[in-house]
Amino acid sequence: DETKAPIVVLGTGLAGYGLVREFRKHDQDTPVIMITADDGRSYSKPMLSTGYTKDTTADDLAQADAGTMGKQLKASVWTMTHVTAIDTENQTIKLGDAETQIHYGKLVLALGADTITPPIKGDALEYVYSVNDLLDYDDYRTAIKKNDVKKVCIIGAGLIGCEFTNDLINGGFSVEAVDPMGYCLPTLLPEPAGRAVQRALEEKGAKFHFGPLVTEVNKAAGDVGLTVTLNNGDTIDCDLVVSAVGVRPRTQLASDAGINVNRGVTTNRLLETSAKNVYAMGDCVEVDGHVLVYVAPLMAQARALGKTLAGEATEVSYPAMPVTIKTPACPVTVNPPPRDMEGDWDIQEDGNNVVATFRDKSGQLQGFALTGDGIKQKMALQKELPPLLG
Ligand code: FAD
């Protein structure tokens, strides 16, 4: 009976667990198997970059273990299990090196995104951390404690880099950050807004190196601390390095299976991939051309796909979804204009308070960037924005 073949969900991040939670509102009976390469604990990933501000360990952030989640969701949760291949013809997946094959009625890829590893040389790369899940976070905090870290160098001054800069400053560390672009949050904000964030973080003690790339991380002479080398000849002394240069949707498993991928695993608005009975969502997906590695879009996907999998085909729709960046030194809310949209920024600046609005040729608001007290404009401006996928 094909209708009772299990729904298999790959990934137990906010996307995977969020989906099954929604699905169970509509269907209590269909078996669900969830498979994750990590320990399956449920946690809110955005909290990974506020850990020193809020003094939270990995255990504090874990809301429930895999067993508890399985009970809550009436699902079988398989942890520390790597899916290595998908056979879309026979509707099976392969686990690890084993010969084990799992049959699926429907398969959902909620595989997340990998952190991009910058090409850095040196003899101290084991002190370069990227924090992309709860296990990474535990390693990073353990290393900070064990090495009595006082000073951190952050590679990248984008969303994650700036959040970690602010968080570590709040935790009493000194921080230097490096970014090849010219100011904070360069891919999200127009320059005056990025400069406001930079100034606010500098006022708290952060030091930025804009323009150069990090080329090497080595043990310092005498083996106490690290030396980070930049391609402009500058060096930074520190005790630990955090790499935060961005993420890339995990598409390899899908592309190896012959499923269409572009920047992410490509789907239509039903979140159907090019393979029959295979869906994708969360950080790994590209829906109708949109790759959005944030929580609000994956919640919208979970609501729609939860219904679709229960038999009521439902397209995902996206309202405008501004992103809040957790830099309390200078709060930021941004809704970047759509890629390649033609139009002009209007920028009102008062110290670190910036209200920047982007309008297309017809005068329609298409994006905004707000910093400091400027964030008070968020509600009003959000109402004016057209939906991203109406
Ligand atoms: P993930 O949580 O990465 O889950 C992927 C799952 O897939 C994991 O269970 C993994 O084990 C599993 N997996 C991968 N490959 C395999 C395999 N081959 N076999 C089996 N399992 C596999 N967004 C916001 O909207 N607001 C914020 O303030 C914000 N702050 C953030 C701060 C940080 C530090 C970070 C890193 C991200 C932040 N984000 C924020 C982004 C947001 O957290 C992500 O968009 C979201 O958590 C992605 O969830 P996901 O379930 O798609 O991916």
Side-chain angles (χ1 to χ4, degrees), residues 59-98:
D59 286 343
D60 293 334
L61 293 188
Q63 291 154 350
D65 63 19
T68 308
M69 291 307 293
K71 257 188 215 130
Q72 263 179 30
L73 300 172
K74 284 182 70 183
S76 166
V77 183
W78 302 4
T79 60
M80 299 296 178
T81 304
H82 218 88
V83 176
T84 48
I86 304 168
D87 179 343
T88 59
E89 192 81 7
N90 296 308
Q91 300 201 177
T92 58
I93 55 168
K94 190 166 173 256
L95 306 183
D97 308 325

Side-chain angles (χ1 to χ4, degrees), residues 10-17 35-40 43-49 81-84 110-113 115 131-133 159-160 163-164 247 250 253 281-284 292-298 323-326:
L10 307 187
T12 56
L14 290 171
Y17 279 142
I35 303 178
T36 175
D38 65 24
D39 61 11
Y43 71 103
S44 174
K45 187 179 285 202
M47 308 280 286
L48 299 184
S49 50
T81 304
H82 218 88
V83 176
T84 48
L111 297 165
T115 49
V131 184
N132 191 35
D133 62 32
L159 186 149
I160 308 286
E163 289 191 353
F164 273 97
V247 295
R250 292 195 176 108
L253 187 64
M281 65 174 300
D283 277 5
C284 70
L292 300 165
V293 289
Y294 303 109
V295 175
L298 70 80
V323 176
T324 295
I325 297 169
K326 301 183 293 300

Side-chain angles (χ1 to χ4, degrees), residues 109 251 254-255 257-262 264-267 272-275 280 286:
L109 310 179
T251 57
S255 65
I259 297 169
N260 289 349
V261 308
N262 184 35
V265 179
T266 49
T267 71
E272 294 170 326
T273 70
S274 62
E286 176 175 331

